[in-house]
Amino acid sequence: MNTIKSVSDMQQWACATREAGKRIAFVPTMGFLHEGHVALMREGKGRGDYLVVSIFVNPTQFGVGEDYEDYPRDLEEDTEKVSSAGGNIIFAPSAKEMYPSGYQTFVAVEKVTQNLCGASRSTHFQGVTTVVAKLFNIVKPHVAIFGEKDYQQLVTIRQMTRDLNFDIEIIGMPTIREEDGLAMSSRNKYLSPEERKQALCLFNALNQVEKLFRGGEKNSKKLIDRAATIIRVQSAADIDYVKVCHPETIEDLEWIDDRALMALAVKIGKTRLIDNLVLKN
């Protein structure tokens, strides 16, 4: 397994690999990898001749006052995880390599980014789509794998891929959870032991909403109220949003006819966590 830090070197490898008739699978990450990332890598390994994993903490998707400088990083440990999952290449550029002096071009996907995380993090998705578009042009994958925990991100990437005619298959993979149900996230390390316990309110809220839905409740407000009540019991919890949305347009739904996305964003102490569940008949 090799680590590449130069954009030009990564592009040269990708071009040579494609010219040799080999299929490239790609998993983009910000590093500090956990078993959720490993699951994506294993899926990628089965979908290509070569697996490329990018490790890049992207500054353009962090807002003012967010945790860019403090975001956990451990390239040595990440390298071991990528190797154990069968990865062939780690692409680990610097911020200056990705955004050199004079950089001024950004990619914006409009409608599907307006709700949920886009409502409270105004520049977040522009940063995500910009860096993913750049990575697609650098790594030149045939297939890219993303986790459904970042559901709005997955929908946004699919929209961008269609709109900009990227010849790339986008695969979404189910959320990987800890044994007690907490969605795996690199930011979980920020939680104190007490906050870690209280963070389970997100998973518990989703479970209770699913029970109500399967019992026949289709009114979004009632489902939202039930989830919010469960979360607010926790002293460390501060709700950013609890919403029921269309799973493709990410528009709010008042009533669920067929399928819907229940999406949560909650601060537990200073740590912002997200989770979601697709409700379907």
Side-chain angles (χ1 to χ4, degrees):
M1 188 183 72
N2 294 323
T3 297
I4 297 175
K5 296 187 177 183
S6 160
V7 167
S8 60
D9 288 349
M10 185 70 248
Q11 288 176 318
Q12 288 175 15
W13 180 92
C15 287
T17 300
R18 292 180 72 103
E19 287 172 1
K22 301 299 183 181
R23 183 172 169 86
I24 301 171
F26 178 45
V27 177
T29 83
M30 292 207 300
F32 209 73
L33 305 178
H34 50 66
E35 286 304 310
H37 296 111
V38 172
L40 302 183
M41 291 187 281
R42 288 173 178 156
E43 180 70 19
K45 186 64 178 177
R47 289 178 176 269
D49 298 299
Y50 290 93
L51 172 63
V52 178
V53 178
S54 65
I55 296 175
F56 176 62
V57 183
N58 175 39
T60 65
Q61 69 189 70
F62 288 79
V64 176
E66 293 186 349
D67 59 339
Y68 172 68
E69 296 296 339
D70 296 329
Y71 194 86
R73 296 162 170 86
D74 190 341
L75 184 57
E76 183 177 348
E77 181 66 24
D78 289 346
T79 299
E80 292 182 10
K81 284 186 169 66
V82 175
S83 178
S84 68
N88 302 103
I89 299 289
I90 290 176
F91 178 51
S94 66
K96 288 183 179 180
E97 182 73 8
M98 291 294 283
Y99 301 105
S101 177
Y103 188 89
Q104 55 187 295
T105 302
F106 295 89
V107 177
V109 177
E110 295 183 346
K111 293 182 180 179
V112 296
T113 65
Q114 297 304 303
N115 203 358
L116 304 182
C117 289
S120 58
R121 306 178 71 193
S122 59
T123 62
H124 171 70
F125 283 111
Q126 178 177 279
V128 170
T129 47
T130 297
V131 78
V132 172
K134 286 172 66 64
L135 288 168
F136 283 174
N137 284 327
I138 295 165
V139 176
K140 307 182 187 302
H142 297 82
V143 59
I145 299 92
F146 296 82
E148 292 179 353
K149 183 180 80 71
D150 296 294
Y151 192 95
Q152 187 178 17
Q153 173 179 278
L154 174 61
V155 170
T156 300
I157 297 302
R158 282 178 169 155
Q159 185 72 45
M160 180 189 74
T161 300
R162 289 192 299 269
D163 291 349
L164 298 185
N165 305 109
F166 282 110
D167 187 16
I168 301 171
E169 182 182 8
I170 305 298
I171 304 295
M173 292 292 293
T175 301
I176 303 298
R177 299 182 180 277
E178 304 285 357
E179 289 185 5
D180 57 8
L182 182 67
M184 289 188 177
S185 169
S186 300
R187 288 188 169 95
N188 288 349
K189 79 174 291 290
Y190 297 155
L191 300 169
S192 70
E194 177 57 30
E195 289 171 344
R196 174 66 176 72
K197 294 177 184 177
Q198 294 194 37
L200 289 176
C201 67
L202 281 78
F203 181 62
N204 293 337
L206 292 175
N207 280 341
Q208 289 300 311
V209 164
E210 185 173 37
K211 288 180 182 179
L212 281 178
F213 177 77
R214 294 194 179 282
E217 185 57 74
K218 310 295 183 181
N219 185 303
S220 295
K221 184 178 184 305
K222 291 183 179 180
L223 297 174
I224 290 168
D225 288 346
R226 179 58 175 155
T229 297
I230 292 169
I231 293 168
R232 289 191 179 111
V233 168
Q234 304 302 324
S235 60
D238 181 17
I239 293 174
D240 181 353
Y241 62 74
V242 177
K243 292 205 171 190
V244 174
C245 302
H246 190 284
E248 295 173 3
T249 67
I250 315 297
E251 295 175 323
D252 291 340
L253 291 177
E254 294 183 2
W255 188 267
I256 304 172
D257 291 320
D258 181 28
R259 299 171 68 246
L261 173 71
M262 165 62 77
L264 314 174
V266 181
K267 276 191 174 181
I268 303 295
K270 295 182 179 180
T271 306
R272 186 177 185 275
L273 302 177
I274 60 173
D275 207 341
N276 67 76
L277 174 70
V278 175
L279 303 168
K280 51 190 175 182
N281 293 317

